[in-house]
Amino acid sequence: MSTRYDVRDGIAVITLDNPPVNGLGFATRRGIADGLEKAQADGSVKAIVLTGSGKAFSGGADITEFGSPKATAEPNLLTLIELIEASSKPVVAAINGVCMGGGLELALGCHYRVAAPGVPVALPEVKIGLIPGAGGTQRLPRVLGVEAALNMIVSGEPVQSDQLAALQGQKLFDRMSDGDLLLTALGFAAEIAAQRPLPLVRELPVSHPNADGYFQFVRNGIAAKARNFPAPAKCIESVANALKLPFDEGMKRELAIFIGLMMTPESKALRHAFFAERAASKIPDVPSDTPLREVRKIAVIGAGTMGGGIAMNFLNAGLPVVMLEAKQEALDRGVATIRRNYEAQLRKGKLKQDRLDQRMALLSTTLNYGDLSDADMLIEAVFEDIEVKRQVFQALDEVAKPGAILASNTSTLDLNRIASFTKRPQDVIGTHFFSPANVMKLLEVVRGKNTADDVLATVMAIGKKIRKTCVVSGVCDGFIGNRMIEQYIRQAGFLLEEGCTPQQVDRAIEQFGFAMGPFRMSDLAGNDIGWYIRKRRYQEQPELRYSRTADLLCEMGRFGQKTGAGWYDYQPGRRDALPSKLVDEMIEGHRTEIGIAPRKIADDEIVHRLVFALVNEGARLLDEGIALRASDIDMVYLTGYGFPLYRGGPMHYADGYGLYRVVKAMQRFAANPHDDAAFWTPAPLLARLAAEGKTFS
Ligand code: NAD
């Protein structure tokens, strides 16, 4: 049963009971409708209270029904609100907790609303590329005023109920409860039971003293942010309709806009990302009720670029961290960097002094492995050198308490080998953070061949606690993200040889929506890192083709922003990438040397060679079982590599483009004598899906 019905002192109480957030799924909607009918028929009932069980009134649509016929089956939400409005007895929404999306629209359809303080209230549809579709844009301005309502609708952000109750002239809440909400609501219902006519939000007036000017102002304000997202502008349009049009006409337009947005690729991409994030936290062969290990204290080994950022994540979450280094100077430098980062946040007003002090007080340092013996999770972030990792993991094995989790932040080394340095490979796992580790959302959680299920489940939970998007990866060179990016960068190199400039490649992919093209990205990360990796890689696989231009660049000492020169020139203290004549000459010289006559390459070819390189390597990762699902790969690229959110990630993009067409494009690329034909052989999974007319999802 997803609703309950009972009658107390002549008041019918309908309680939504569909955990975790009382989503308005089919059974819940049906339950509410049945409850309303029962209450009408019962002569002893004077009024009706609608409330939620647990921590929510209602979080809105039931996401497990998304896309299924149940989601729109009657009574749908609009019908349900109609039934409430038509009720001969007053219906009071008793808003006990989370009130969002369809949940708020349902409450707005009730005759009265009583709320508990501290309840988050929101219309978050814009975040999945939609507008509210059950009257939210028409009713909320009528109770909150145009400006407060539009702020909520355009941002999708929650506002606390007491903050809304304090707004002058608001009609959202008829009463706030300061004790037992249900008792307050029952008392209120008894008071108003006889009042007629019943008030309806749809009948309230709505206006703004300078509507045209105000809406134009908001439109300008969101223009940059909403460039690639149609929904925010549609929110404004629909709220403006509430002022211009009769209520029923405004409702009709709202629904039409909602349905139109449902079909847009941007909303599809946002909804895909929404579900992908949830899916990524589930591991098919690890039950969700696996008991977790307790993690109360963290140790970080290595206080360099990554170690410092990793430590900050845990300090921010209120967990004590001890950092170990080989030398005191390195420790001091590491602590100073963390402090500097926090002080920068303080100056920007993002952190208060007392919070800063609290976080720094949670941090301790040591040169002695013995001091790590009480840590529950020990994360190594020392030099990327297998011998150094061996020393560190042997030392950790000596001192760590039984059951402690031993994690490595390695980006390229074999995690199974690292685990074998210890006598407890079941406790070893990879936690691959991205730089800057305190900022980037992505955490690749690397599951070794011996990693215990509860270690994996615990690290996924800890990752969530430090607000990362965790994606599980198997062990391979580069894991999911870097293994794919290597193919993307290889294509970028070929494009230079065949006739592009770095700025042409960057511009094309940035226009596609990437935050940064491959050459600007390499300049930021440091071109020497790739150089180092290539030396190793091509020693092991001399037959692998790649463009030598990146090596020639490093031989010129152009390591990127840190040396003031890379693929681009940089002026001191500035980050603007300026085209470099020297680099152009280097590329031209290299072309002559290998005998390629440059050709003009269209942006479309640039974009698809780069993106389909990701797709093909991604499909191989799925074939090999390194990645669990295509949507995990999308999450890696959306949260770690600047792939445009409104395109939903490489695999989702390929699905939308059509896998058959993707394979056809790959066949064209393979026929190019300067490219790597072997690479463009479609991965078995991709070939099969394309042949069967299917998609990754
Ligand atoms: P870094 O050189 O900035 O820091 C490494 C730190 O480890 C130094 O402070 C060094 O003094 C310390 N160290 C070295 N040997 C030690 C030992 N035996 N005991 C204790 N401390 C020791 O390097 P980084 O960029 O922070 O990288 C650390 C790890 O993270 C590497 O495995 C790297 O591959 C990985 N990683 C780096 C990035 C990145 O973008 N920099 C991203 C993901 C993963």
Side-chain angles (χ1 to χ4, degrees):
M1 281 301 275
S2 49
T3 51
R4 291 193 307 262
Y5 178 90
D6 59 326
V7 179
R8 306 184 198 181
D9 296 330
I11 313 284
V13 180
I14 304 173
T15 308
L16 281 61
D17 189 10
N18 182 19
V21 292
N22 300 324
L24 296 169
F26 173 67
T28 312
R29 297 194 305 268
R30 225 4 211 289
I32 298 171
D34 290 349
L36 288 169
E37 204 173 302
K38 240 194 235 179
Q40 311 298 318
D42 183 344
S44 73
V45 167
K46 300 190 295 285
I48 302 156
V49 165
L50 184 62
T51 191
S53 62
K55 287 201 178 110
F57 173 71
S58 170
D62 187 336
I63 60 170
T64 62
E65 287 184 1
F66 248 66
S68 83
K70 275 185 168 181
T72 46
E74 291 284 9
N76 65 31
L77 186 53
L78 285 166
T79 308
L80 202 55
I81 293 171
E82 243 172 54
L83 294 176
I84 293 174
E85 286 189 329
S87 163
S88 59
K89 301 172 183 178
V91 182
V92 180
I95 302 169
N96 56 305
V98 177
C99 182
M100 292 196 185
L104 178 54
E105 291 177 304
L106 180 68
L108 286 166
C110 293
H111 304 110
Y112 302 94
R113 284 153 299 276
V114 176
V119 163
V121 179
L123 287 174
E125 288 80 355
V126 71
K127 293 190 173 179
I128 47 171
L130 301 173
I131 66 167
T137 65
Q138 305 304 295
R139 287 193 179 88
L140 197 63
R142 288 180 153 83
V143 294
L144 283 187
V146 174
E147 297 195 10
L150 188 56
N151 273 340
M152 284 179 68
I153 294 168
V154 167
S155 72
E157 291 296 323
V159 184
Q160 301 289 312
S161 52
D162 21 336
Q163 241 170 298
L164 293 170
L167 290 176
Q168 226 192 350
Q170 67 85 20
K171 298 188 180 70
L172 177 56
F173 302 126
D174 298 279
R175 184 168 297 177
M176 294 299 287
S177 142
D178 50 8
D180 185 315
L181 173 77
L182 188 57
L183 284 183
T184 311
L186 288 169
F188 179 83
E191 274 172 45
I192 53 82
Q195 269 181 34
R196 295 293 182 279
L198 291 171
L200 295 177
V201 171
R202 60 155 67 219
E203 286 168 359
L204 293 172
V206 56
S207 66
H208 189 282
N210 175 20
D212 290 344
Y214 171 69
F215 286 122
Q216 193 51 45
F217 170 78
V218 186
R219 256 178 233 119
N220 296 342
I222 61 147
K225 206 172 82 180
R227 194 164 54 110
N228 298 307
F229 295 95
K234 292 292 181 187
C235 291
I236 302 173
E237 182 185 325
S238 194
V239 171
N241 285 342
L243 279 76
K244 281 195 302 229
L245 304 173
F247 180 82
D248 286 326
E249 187 56 30
M251 288 292 288
K252 258 193 224 154
R253 300 272 184 101
E254 181 192 80
L255 190 59
I257 294 173
F258 176 86
I259 291 169
L261 285 171
M262 279 293 271
M263 308 306 288
T264 60
E266 293 83 1
S267 175
K268 285 183 185 157
L270 288 167
R271 279 177 280 147
H272 170 71
F274 177 87
F275 288 108
E277 170 131 38
R278 276 152 190 77
S281 66
K282 300 188 177 76
I283 310 158
D285 61 330
V286 178
S288 59
D289 58 355
T290 302
L292 303 184
R293 297 192 187 183
E294 194 162 34
V295 177
R296 281 196 283 191
K297 184 167 184 190
I298 307 290
V300 176
I301 300 90
T305 312
M306 294 307 287
I310 292 170
M312 287 176 75
N313 284 299
F314 294 97
L315 299 174
N316 297 350
L319 286 164
V321 177
V322 53
M323 276 204 309
L324 178 141
E325 265 284 350
K327 295 214 177 77
Q328 186 62 43
E329 304 87 80
L331 265 185
D332 294 343
R333 224 179 307 127
V335 174
T337 307
I338 293 178
R339 180 173 285 283
R340 216 176 28 252
N341 276 329
Y342 280 138
E343 281 169 352
Q345 291 178 18
L346 184 81
R347 275 196 303 280
K348 288 183 200 151
K350 290 184 182 161
L351 188 70
K352 295 239 163 66
Q353 183 70 47
D354 58 335
R355 282 302 187 91
L356 186 158
D357 296 339
Q358 271 168 20
R359 290 178 188 181
M360 290 308 289
L362 287 170
L363 179 64
S364 61
T365 60
T366 184
L367 297 171
N368 180 0
Y369 275 93
D371 292 336
L372 309 186
S373 61
D374 62 343
D376 304 297
M377 180 170 174
L378 302 90
I379 307 172
E380 165 279 311
V382 300
F383 298 141
E384 187 74 341
D385 178 311
I386 196 77
E387 279 315 310
V388 184
K389 306 278 189 202
R390 179 200 299 275
Q391 284 165 23
V392 169
F393 273 82
Q394 282 173 348
L396 295 180
D397 198 17
E398 290 292 313
V399 300
K401 68 180 181 191
I405 295 171
L406 308 182
S408 172
N409 188 47
T410 182
S411 18
T412 55
L413 300 173
D414 179 353
L415 183 82
N416 292 327
R417 214 169 142 210
I418 293 178
S420 76
F421 300 149
T422 72
K423 292 189 273 309
R424 39 174 131 178
Q426 74 281 3
D427 296 339
V428 177
I429 193 166
T431 48
H432 187 220
F433 287 85
F434 287 72
S435 183
N438 54 315
V439 177
M440 295 294 288
K441 284 288 284 174
L442 178 61
L443 176 60
E444 281 182 331
V445 177
V446 184
R447 180 182 198 175
K449 68 172 194 276
N450 292 311
T451 305
D453 285 359
D454 64 338
V455 168
L456 183 59
T458 304
V459 170
M460 295 296 281
I462 283 284
K464 197 168 174 192
K465 181 161 183 176
I466 60 172
R467 310 172 81 144
K468 298 292 177 197
T469 299
C470 299
V471 176
V472 176
S473 170
V475 176
C476 70
D477 199 334
F479 310 127
I480 296 173
N482 283 345
R483 194 172 122 178
M484 287 167 63
I485 208 75
E486 197 174 313
Q487 297 303 338
Y488 165 99
I489 290 185
R490 222 158 60 93
Q491 284 300 317
F494 292 148
L495 286 162
L496 295 187
E497 291 183 341
E498 292 169 37
C500 289
T501 58
Q503 49 277 21
Q504 191 193 349
V505 175
D506 282 351
R507 205 181 334 106
I509 199 78
E510 285 164 17
Q511 259 164 15
F512 175 80
F514 265 83
M516 216 183 267
F519 297 108
R520 286 214 294 142
M521 185 180 75
S522 277
D523 273 0
L524 182 67
N527 297 311
D528 49 325
I529 298 178
W531 197 24
Y532 174 80
I533 295 173
R534 280 193 303 280
K535 281 180 190 163
R536 184 167 59 94
R537 170 91 72 257
Y538 296 102
Q539 235 165 32
E540 288 165 6
Q541 293 171 272
E543 73 290 355
L544 212 58
R545 275 199 9 78
Y546 76 101
S547 165
R548 287 249 313 132
T549 46
D551 297 348
L552 297 174
L553 186 80
C554 288
E555 285 165 20
M556 293 161 79
R558 299 180 69 103
F559 289 169
Q561 288 192 18
K562 62 185 168 189
T563 57
W567 292 106
Y568 297 93
D569 288 333
Y570 297 90
Q571 284 168 349
R574 303 197 52 162
R575 286 168 177 269
D576 313 67
L578 308 169
S580 160
K581 231 175 132 256
L582 277 178
V583 170
D584 289 345
E585 284 168 9
M586 176 272 284
I587 296 168
E588 282 156 25
H590 177 67
R591 261 182 222 139
T592 314
E593 203 186 311
I594 58 173
I596 296 185
R599 67 182 169 99
K600 203 171 162 342
I601 301 179
D603 283 1
D604 196 55
E605 178 180 338
I606 297 173
V607 166
H608 283 144
R609 280 172 69 177
L610 296 181
V611 174
F612 295 162
L614 296 175
V615 172
N616 206 22
E617 197 63 19
R620 287 198 180 111
L621 288 164
L622 289 168
D623 274 322
E624 293 167 29
I626 300 287
L628 291 173
R629 27 179 117 67
S631 65
D632 281 8
I633 295 175
D634 288 334
M635 274 336 281
V636 167
Y637 267 77
L638 293 174
T639 57
Y641 292 84
F643 199 97
L645 177 60
Y646 63 93
R647 296 198 191 269
M651 311 311 266
H652 178 81
Y653 175 76
D655 275 350
Y657 190 82
L659 298 189
Y660 182 81
R661 290 174 70 209
V662 171
V663 166
K664 287 287 160 213
M666 288 181 176
Q667 286 165 352
R668 282 198 300 281
F669 302 154
N672 171 356
H674 305 304
D675 202 325
D676 178 356
F679 170 76
W680 286 119
T681 306
L685 173 70
L686 174 56
R688 198 186 74 230
L689 294 174
E692 293 171 359
K694 292 188 176 152
T695 62
F696 287 115
S697 67

